[in-house]
Amino acid sequence: MDYFPIFIDIAKKPCLVVGGGDIAYRKINLLLKADAQVTCIAPETCDGVAELVKNNKIILIKKDFEASDVNAQVLIVSATDDAVLNARVSALAKKANIPVNVVDSPALCSFIMPSIVDRSPIVIAISSAGKAPVLARLIRAKLESTIPNAYGKLATLAGNFRQQVKAKFNNIEDRRYFWEKAFSGVVAEKVFAGKIDEAQTDLQAQLDDSIDSDIGEVYLVGGGPGDPDLLTFKALRLMQQADVILYDRLVSDEVMELVRRDAELIYVGKERDNHSVPQEGINQLLVDLAKQGRRVCRLKGGDPFIFGRGGEEIETLAENGVPFQVVPGITAASGCSTYSGIPLTHRDYSQSCRFVTGHLKDGSMNLPWDELAVEQQTIVFYMALKGAQHLSDQLIAHGMRGEMPVALVEKGTTPEHKVHTTTLAELPDLVANEIIHAPTLIIVGEVVKLREKLNWYDMDKN
Ligand code: SAH
């Protein structure tokens, strides 16, 4: 370790910043976050610093730096563009044993400032010992994206209970067990969902043993159409914390790669006409697993509430008193159209968009064809490969032009993403003559033509 990491309490303590430019302004703001009493010494200041002075956030002494300015300071930052002055500030501070930082001059510093992920009271500091600050910042960006914002609130909540928990459990092991459960269970999830009051009540109840804290939870998570980069932060977090994952055919291999390594994986199928586990079986399995105290992630393709039967699954959970949460995902219509260069709406071509199921029941689709066969609208058919002939016939019979552009998207957003463009009249021939791999989505509307200009994703392939 080149530097020893510590966190210093500078609240209400005098800190000096020499210089009044943009860099000084950034450092002052950091010091203010820790509630320091900042004095800035500079003959001139930038607008930001002037604003802080105006709002009484800091004291400005408009003059050149003098040796006596270091007196009584607990921390000094020199942020001027004058190398000689910076060296002088550094030497004086070091002589007086006051920690000093000179921006971008590690040799003149007695402490360096890390990249910070601020989830106060949780604060993560990252340093490369001045060797690769950009790398430290990249690491910071990674952490920023994976650590939920609400961790700070969780830590604050825990802080409020610390004494009580200490009083109840004498030994450290028991305390640790209690907190681990709180931080990875329902309490934490409620904080993340913004329900701080409920989380507080639950934590109190767990402490008093007045609720069954052994019941698990179900996360109904939208895994998106295939590309793992389209997962939400929340989906990823819950996938990585669940003990059991129930997934089906629509969840891509790349997305499955991201679930917790040691989680139990249960395939519940749903291949067309070949349901490995019937829907009622899935609903019940979710209840049973949660009642064993397990955290269950029901991972679905796309969005769980769009042709995903997510509603039915959580209905059973609600009836059985199992806590659950739902994470939306990018639905196939959105993912496939975007990755095909087809905007679903467009001021000139389509003012509305309908998502409909093309699933055949007894050889037909029970759809309001009159409402669908209109201009200036985009229709997205899910589950419609087998019904392509039927939907083409029906739309044309209800007045839609046979030349209406149509796109058929295979395995959208995955590495095998493929788009076929045709017309409504020729769609049945395309489906009959080409080898097409499920899942597929059919997009009907003038917007399909825009693909010629707007395609950005699979330009080399088609
Ligand atoms: N809940 C899912 C839809 C489930 S219904 C969602 O929101 O996307 C299953 C249908 O979704 C498939 O028959 C197909 O029409 C469509 N689908 C899902 N993923 C797809 C993909 N990657 N490419 C093309 N179509 C897809």
Side-chain angles (χ1 to χ4, degrees):
M1 244 192 263
D2 292 337
Y3 291 84
F4 184 65
I6 53 169
F7 290 85
I8 307 186
D9 175 10
I10 54 169
K12 313 257 177 316
K13 298 194 180 129
C15 297
L16 176 68
V17 175
V18 184
D22 288 335
I23 295 173
Y25 174 63
R26 282 209 293 276
K27 301 295 173 191
I28 292 171
N29 275 324
L30 280 174
L31 295 171
L32 288 178
K33 277 194 176 175
D35 207 16
Q37 219 174 62
V38 178
T39 300
C40 172
I41 292 183
E44 298 297 333
T45 69
C46 66
D47 293 346
V49 172
E51 187 74 16
L52 290 173
V53 177
K54 202 172 113 204
N55 295 330
N56 292 323
K57 303 278 187 212
I58 62 170
I59 295 163
L60 172 70
I61 307 178
K62 263 197 165 181
K63 60 154 198 150
D64 289 327
F65 171 82
E66 305 165 65
S68 60
D69 291 331
V70 304
N71 293 345
Q73 301 293 341
V74 302
L75 201 101
I76 297 175
V77 176
S78 192
T80 79
D81 49 13
D82 176 344
V84 177
L85 174 58
N86 284 342
R88 192 163 148 241
V89 175
S90 167
L92 286 163
K94 284 179 178 170
K95 198 163 158 220
N97 282 326
I98 302 168
V100 62
N101 177 275
V102 178
V103 177
D104 285 339
S105 308
L108 297 178
C109 293
S110 64
F111 76 93
I112 55 174
M113 292 209 198
S115 281
I116 295 170
V117 179
D118 186 1
R119 300 284 186 272
S120 289
I122 303 276
V123 176
I124 303 168
I126 306 139
S127 151
S128 65
K131 296 197 171 97
V134 175
L135 186 59
R137 246 171 276 151
L138 283 179
I139 295 171
R140 180 192 137 197
K142 276 198 174 181
L143 293 173
E144 285 281 6
S145 64
T146 49
I147 299 175
N149 238 320
Y151 258 63
K153 294 197 183 107
L154 185 59
T156 305
L157 177 68
N160 296 342
F161 276 82
R162 211 167 150 229
Q163 289 310 330
Q164 268 194 69
V165 173
K166 237 177 163 171
K168 167 147 185 181
F169 303 107
N170 289 331
N171 78 52
I172 293 180
E173 282 296 302
D174 291 348
R175 283 207 290 272
R176 186 185 303 153
Y177 180 70
F178 176 84
W179 283 125
E180 277 178 1
K181 216 155 81 177
F183 292 147
S184 58
V186 181
V187 169
E189 284 310 322
K190 285 198 171 155
V191 172
F192 297 154
K195 300 175 189 161
I196 310 284
D197 290 348
E198 275 185 39
Q200 178 144 348
T201 311
D202 279 13
L203 193 57
Q204 187 69 56
Q206 285 183 10
L207 195 58
D208 302 341
D209 278 332
S210 61
I211 59 164
D212 176 9
S213 59
D214 286 335
I215 190 158
E217 196 183 4
V218 175
Y219 318 130
L220 179 59
V221 173
D227 181 351
D229 282 356
L230 296 180
L231 284 169
T232 60
F233 293 146
K234 193 164 185 177
L236 186 62
R237 180 167 56 75
L238 295 177
M239 283 160 62
Q240 293 191 341
Q241 118 170 355
D243 307 308
V244 192
I245 314 274
L246 262 72
Y247 67 106
D248 53 48
R249 186 182 53 96
L250 276 181
V251 180
S252 72
D253 295 345
E254 291 83 2
V255 167
M256 285 304 293
E257 279 292 308
L258 297 173
V259 305
R260 195 171 118 191
R261 289 268 165 241
D262 56 346
E264 182 187 346
L265 305 182
I266 303 179
Y267 179 69
V268 289
K270 284 261 190 96
E271 210 132 340
R272 210 178 181 291
D273 304 331
N274 172 25
H275 290 199
S276 315
V277 181
Q279 188 64 49
E280 303 71 47
I282 298 175
N283 301 353
Q284 191 55 47
L285 190 55
L286 290 172
V287 172
D288 294 345
L289 289 165
K291 289 208 161 162
Q292 291 163 15
R294 305 176 78 187
R295 290 167 300 180
V296 188
C297 173
R298 172 69 176 109
L299 189 54
K300 292 178 115 36
D303 182 284
F305 279 1
I306 295 181
F307 304 125
R309 304 190 76 170
E312 295 162 51
E313 295 181 6
I314 56 174
E315 220 176 297
T316 315
L317 297 173
E319 283 161 12
N320 284 274
V322 173
F324 62 86
Q325 46 184 318
V326 186
V327 183
I330 292 196
T331 189
S334 194
C336 294
S337 62
T338 300
Y339 278 46
S340 305
I342 301 172
L344 290 178
T345 66
H346 188 285
R347 266 161 55 120
D348 299 333
Y349 304 107
S350 168
Q351 282 75 50
S352 69
C353 174
R354 300 197 44 164
F355 296 175
V356 293
T357 165
H359 188 63
L360 288 172
K361 233 182 189 167
D362 307 325
S364 81
M365 295 171 201
N366 186 16
L367 292 172
W369 295 109
D370 283 331
E371 289 172 28
L372 297 178
V374 295
E375 295 286 327
Q376 301 281 316
Q377 174 173 260
T378 309
I379 321 170
V380 182
F381 286 94
Y382 287 70
M383 300 173 273
L385 190 58
K386 285 205 172 171
Q389 173 85 52
H390 184 72
L391 79 85
S392 164
D393 292 347
Q394 287 296 327
L395 286 174
I396 291 172
H398 287 79
M400 191 175 266
R401 293 175 289 122
E403 312 81 66
M404 182 62 88
V406 171
L408 190 150
V409 186
E410 265 184 64
K411 298 193 166 188
T413 82
T414 72
E416 293 135 289
H417 173 100
K418 193 167 176 195
V419 185
H420 309 262
T421 45
T422 179
T423 62
L424 187 57
E426 285 165 10
L427 174 68
D429 278 353
L430 171 85
V431 172
N433 299 329
E434 295 266 343
I435 299 170
I436 292 171
H437 301 96
T440 59
L441 198 77
I442 298 177
I443 306 174
V444 180
E446 286 291 330
V447 288
V448 168
K449 282 200 308 213
L450 292 163
R451 169 174 163 79
E452 284 165 27
K453 252 202 250 168
L454 305 183
N455 184 29
W456 58 274
Y457 178 65
D458 59 346
M459 287 185 289
D460 303 337
K461 284 203 318 204
N462 288 298

